[in-house]
């Protein structure tokens, strides 16, 4: 039975108008669920109103590549306005939460024949763009819980700092300042 048919049946069979509107709005909410498809993130809903955003590059220990930086902003901006979500759990797939910046993907930032001032100017712009990735977690209207396991290195520390709650597994290692 299609969703449209279900909506029509609700309209026909519902007795009081309040019940009819409630049932229709519940069905409409299920229809409006956003599908999250990303290359470096896996978004799922393990329980009602709970979204899990999983860093999904386990072979690279969830290193943060250029695609990751763009997708995190897109993902958390969408989740922030998703009425089907009330809490977000941020986790990492595989052996580590994250190994930080993917140096091989960003090698062009470090190997350059340009004048050092120009390289620094470009790097500052990149860093500002990358900072938005963590700021969007902080600005998210839903509470964000970081579920950290094993390694959390470099940019991972900045990322979990933007979360509302940080749950660290017993075997986790952390950078020390």
């Amino acid at each position: 039975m299609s969703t449209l048919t279900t909506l029509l049946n609700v309209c026909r069979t519902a007795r009081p108008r309040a019940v009819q509107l409630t049932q229709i709005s519940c069905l409409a909410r299920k229809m409006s669920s956003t599908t999250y498809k990303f290359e470096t993130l896996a978004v799922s809903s393990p329980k009602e109103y709970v979204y899990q955003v999983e860093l999904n590059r386990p072979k690279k220990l969830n290193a943060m590549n250029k695609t990751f930086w763009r997708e995190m902003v897109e993902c958390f901006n969408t989740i922030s306005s998703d009425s089907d979500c009330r809490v977000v759990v941020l986790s990492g797939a595989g052996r580590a939460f994250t190994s930080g910046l993917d140096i091989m993907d960003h090698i062009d930032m470090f190997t350059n024949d340009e004048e050092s001032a120009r390289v620094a100017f470009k790097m500052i712009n990149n860093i500002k763009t990358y900072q938005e990735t963590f700021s969007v977690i902080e600005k998210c209207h839903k509470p964000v819980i970081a579920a950290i396991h094993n390694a959390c290195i470099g940019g991972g520390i900045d990322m979990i700092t933007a979360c509302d709650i940080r749950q660290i597994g017993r075997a986790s290692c952390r950078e020390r300042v």
Side-chain angles (χ1 to χ4, degrees):
M1 184 182 301
S2 75
T3 309
L4 181 59
T5 307
T6 306
L7 279 171
L8 292 173
N9 287 338
V10 167
C11 290
R12 281 190 218 119
T13 59
R15 284 170 282 177
R17 182 165 167 73
V19 171
Q20 178 182 354
L21 292 175
T22 303
Q23 289 175 338
I24 289 173
S25 67
C26 288
L27 287 171
R29 186 173 9 152
K30 288 179 186 172
M31 285 178 13
S32 68
S33 290
T34 308
T35 55
Y36 296 88
K37 298 214 185 277
F38 299 107
E39 184 181 324
T40 64
L41 304 172
V43 181
S44 61
S45 181
K47 287 189 150 193
E48 187 176 24
Y49 303 117
V50 177
Y51 281 20
Q52 179 178 2
V53 177
E54 185 175 51
L55 309 181
N56 194 25
R57 296 186 70 216
K59 291 180 182 173
K60 295 281 190 173
L61 299 176
N62 299 316
M64 301 170 179
N65 65 1
K66 292 175 183 174
T67 306
F68 162 84
W69 299 104
R70 180 182 42 80
E71 289 182 347
M72 281 291 283
V73 173
E74 184 182 333
C75 179
F76 274 91
N77 279 334
T78 306
I79 284 175
S80 188
S81 62
D82 191 333
S83 62
D84 290 337
C85 176
R86 293 187 185 167
V87 66
V88 180
V89 177
L90 181 62
S91 64
R95 298 182 301 148
F97 179 74
T98 181
S99 60
L101 185 70
D102 186 342
I103 299 295
M104 294 310 293
D105 194 55
H106 292 83
I107 198 76
D108 58 319
M109 279 176 45
F110 304 107
T111 57
N112 223 324
D113 291 338
E114 291 183 19
E115 183 181 322
S116 60
R118 292 182 192 279
V119 172
F121 184 75
K122 286 180 184 176
M123 193 172 285
I124 287 171
N125 287 332
N126 284 335
I127 290 169
K128 286 179 182 177
T129 302
Y130 292 168
Q131 182 58 46
E132 180 58 26
T133 301
F134 303 138
S135 296
V136 77
I137 295 170
E138 183 182 354
K139 294 174 190 173
C140 184
H141 298 300
K142 316 301 195 278
V144 180
I145 302 168
I148 303 127
H149 70 285
N150 294 333
C152 182
I153 312 284
I157 300 294
D158 293 335
M159 181 168 53
I160 66 171
T161 306
C163 297
D164 299 299
I165 299 171
R166 291 160 289 285
Q167 176 64 43
I168 301 172
R170 196 172 156 197
S172 293
C173 63
R174 297 173 292 279
E175 273 188 350
R176 300 190 190 268
V177 179

